[in-house]
Amino acid sequence: MTRIERPLARGIGKVTGSALGPYQTAVVRIGFAGTWLFFLLRELPHRHEMYGPDGPWAWDMADQLIAGNHAFSALMWSDGRVWFEIVYALAMLSSALLMLGWRTRTMSVLFMIGVLSLQNRSIFIGDGGDNVIHLMATYLVLTRCGQVWSLDARRAARARAHVQEGRTLDGAFEARPAPPADRVGPVLWWVLGLALSVVTFMGELSRWWLVVFWGLWLVHGLWGAVGRRAPHSELRKALDVIANIVHNAGVLVIMVEACLIYATAGWYKIQGSRWQDGTAVYYPLHLDYFSPWPALSDLLSSNGVLLMLVTYGTVAVQVAFPFTLINRRVKNVLLAAMIFEHAVIAVVLGLPFFSLAMITADAIFLPTAFLLRLGGWAARARGAVVSRVPLSRVLLSRGPLSRLTRRGSGPQRPAADQGREEEDAEHARVGFTP
């Protein structure tokens, strides 16, 4: 192979052989699902005025708009109050389950349906953060965002641990009862297929959305059937390659979208006279809507040099960020600066959900080493909290971990087998293949 063919072959093998950025996509999944869930919970008392039948944007007006732009909203299937409550509750439930990583492939689709249904019902009450959630909810459907830090990854790790327990001292596998078959997945797939059939029969979906939803339903069914009946077949390997390619394409789209958001925001700011003279940050600090802490806003606006530096620094960081991706160290510095800037916006201007959405979009560029360290801190903190609960000690003493500990007191295994088992256990903990 030539010098050009060799790196090209390695690149193709990497793209097709693995789903890149497992920790980054997990953070994006948790961040956007959590942001949308917390927003829906905060607006729970005002949901009827924002998206429901009591809002200023009436149902018939929204129906006319959606008929023209062909957007999707399940709230357009009925103008009843009961149906609105069902959609709102399902939107919150799918957000919570996606954040936990339970059936992430299915929950990502339901999460997208919930976001599109509510936001497209009243498109004039959103802000930049809502637009980011709108886009990312669609892109998450393409990704394998449950590889790590999810209930799906934990279930896969337990299945691999069950196989490891069947290994004997000579490396062979003793006969063990198969792990319990997955019953929830097929039931969930049949229920959603029945619901989709009803909606199709009622004629509530356009041709494009019929192709999208039925295509996703069929693909998920094929994946589950092959995984249950022929998990080691060539067809399963081919499906895994396709899933990796789609996932990596989705990650690339998320990265490009984040760069476009910052690039367009920065270049539009350059054209504004207030950004050119360094006073643009001063004015929102004196608007009642963006002043949850008036004393803090007055303190910051009283320093003209600080306002000028923040104004010019914001433009410089947003314009320069897409070009810093070629240098990892410079990218990490600007990434930290943008995350800090959004954290300040959340506090000073009272825009927590916009800031959370932007910080989550930035997380796609975070280094894996930092995310692993962050995950280790979270795991230790969780372990410290759980260990102080008396009930958890009883469960651990009676659970599978105690049985594994008792088995470990038997004959010593060969060093090679121990090293191989430690490597397998680490792979199970990370859970690269959901």
Side-chain angles (χ1 to χ4, degrees):
M1 299 178 65
T2 64
R3 293 182 178 179
I4 299 178
E5 294 174 345
R6 194 174 294 111
L8 181 61
R10 285 198 300 267
I12 294 175
K14 194 172 184 179
V15 170
T16 59
S18 62
L20 304 177
Y23 294 95
Q24 287 80 359
T25 52
V27 173
V28 170
R29 182 200 85 232
I30 296 171
F32 281 111
T35 301
W36 183 242
L37 175 62
F38 296 148
F39 174 78
L40 294 180
L41 289 174
R42 192 194 72 170
E43 301 300 337
L44 191 62
H46 314 290
R47 63 190 184 279
H48 295 142
E49 291 77 13
M50 296 184 63
Y51 305 112
D54 299 335
W57 188 247
W59 184 89
D60 56 346
M61 299 170 65
D63 188 43
Q64 295 178 23
L65 179 62
I66 290 178
N69 59 19
H70 303 290
F72 172 82
S73 177
L75 290 177
M76 293 296 99
W77 300 347
S78 173
D79 60 348
R81 188 177 296 268
V82 175
W83 176 243
F84 168 77
E85 298 292 352
I86 292 175
V87 173
Y88 200 92
L90 289 178
M92 291 193 297
L93 179 61
S94 62
S95 301
L97 294 178
L98 180 63
M99 184 173 62
L100 296 175
W102 186 80
R103 310 288 171 176
T104 51
R105 293 188 182 92
T106 302
M107 290 304 124
S108 63
V109 178
L110 296 180
F111 175 73
M112 178 190 70
I113 292 175
V115 171
L116 298 183
S117 297
L118 294 174
Q119 289 190 356
N120 289 336
R121 169 62 177 84
S122 301
I123 64 173
F124 298 108
I125 63 174
D127 56 14
D130 294 311
N131 294 333
V132 175
I133 295 175
H134 191 105
L135 294 171
M136 297 303 176
T138 306
Y139 302 152
L140 276 176
V141 175
L142 305 176
T143 64
R144 304 177 72 173
C145 53
Q147 300 175 95
V148 297
W149 297 340
S150 66
L151 297 178
D152 289 347
R154 187 178 69 172
R155 185 175 64 253
R158 287 179 175 178
R160 286 190 293 270
H162 182 87
V163 175
Q164 289 296 326
E165 290 180 11
R167 178 181 293 176
T168 60
L169 294 178
D170 58 358
F173 285 89
E174 62 182 5
R176 289 179 54 85
D182 179 22
R183 300 182 184 275
V184 178
V187 171
L188 187 62
W189 184 74
W190 279 108
V191 170
L192 294 178
L194 179 61
L196 186 57
S197 300
V198 172
V199 174
T200 303
F201 178 77
M202 295 172 59
E204 298 290 351
L205 293 175
S206 63
R207 183 179 303 176
W208 162 250
W209 288 109
L210 281 174
V211 173
V212 170
F213 289 130
W214 277 112
L216 290 172
W217 185 78
L218 292 174
V219 168
H220 288 182
L222 177 62
W223 179 276
V226 174
R228 288 168 62 90
R229 300 180 180 276
H232 306 292
S233 63
E234 294 297 328
L235 178 58
R236 173 55 190 265
K237 295 178 181 179
L239 291 177
D240 201 54
V241 169
I242 296 174
N244 290 335
I245 295 175
V246 174
H247 165 91
N248 295 328
V251 172
L252 179 61
V253 170
I254 293 175
M255 297 173 69
V256 172
E257 186 66 44
C259 291
L260 288 175
I261 290 173
Y262 284 115
T264 53
W267 286 107
Y268 272 111
K269 285 182 175 67
I270 290 177
Q271 303 176 37
S273 59
R274 294 293 178 263
W275 290 96
Q276 294 175 6
D277 60 24
T279 62
V281 178
Y282 173 84
Y283 296 99
L285 292 175
H286 287 79
L287 295 175
D288 293 337
Y289 184 79
F290 296 112
S291 300
W293 316 99
L296 180 60
S297 299
D298 294 338
L299 178 63
L300 294 176
S301 61
S302 62
N303 192 324
V305 176
L306 178 62
L307 290 179
M308 182 186 66
L309 293 177
V310 171
T311 302
Y312 288 150
T314 299
V315 176
V317 168
Q318 290 182 348
V319 172
F321 177 73
F323 302 99
T324 63
L325 298 181
I326 58 177
N327 189 295
R328 183 178 59 184
R329 294 182 178 179
V330 178
K331 181 261 296 181
N332 291 338
V333 172
L334 262 68
L335 189 61
M338 289 191 300
I339 292 176
F340 177 76
E341 176 188 5
H342 289 303
V344 172
I345 290 174
V347 177
V348 176
L349 299 183
L351 297 172
F353 298 106
F354 166 78
S355 298
L356 281 175
M358 294 307 303
I359 291 174
T360 304
D362 296 339
I364 196 67
F365 300 103
L366 288 175
T368 302
F370 171 76
L371 294 177
L372 287 173
R373 192 176 300 113
L374 186 64
W377 295 339
R380 286 191 293 271
R382 182 188 61 184
V385 173
V386 172
S387 63
R388 298 188 180 187
V389 180
L391 181 60
S392 65
R393 301 175 184 175
V394 177
L395 294 177
L396 289 176
S397 65
R398 298 179 180 177
L401 291 179
S402 63
R403 294 194 296 271
L404 292 177
T405 304
R406 288 193 294 269
R407 289 193 184 99
S409 60
Q412 187 69 23
R413 296 174 181 173
D417 288 348
Q418 288 184 355
R420 184 165 55 251
E421 289 184 1
E422 291 178 359
E423 181 180 357
D424 293 340
E426 178 66 17
H427 182 76
R429 181 185 68 82
V430 175
F432 283 102
T433 53

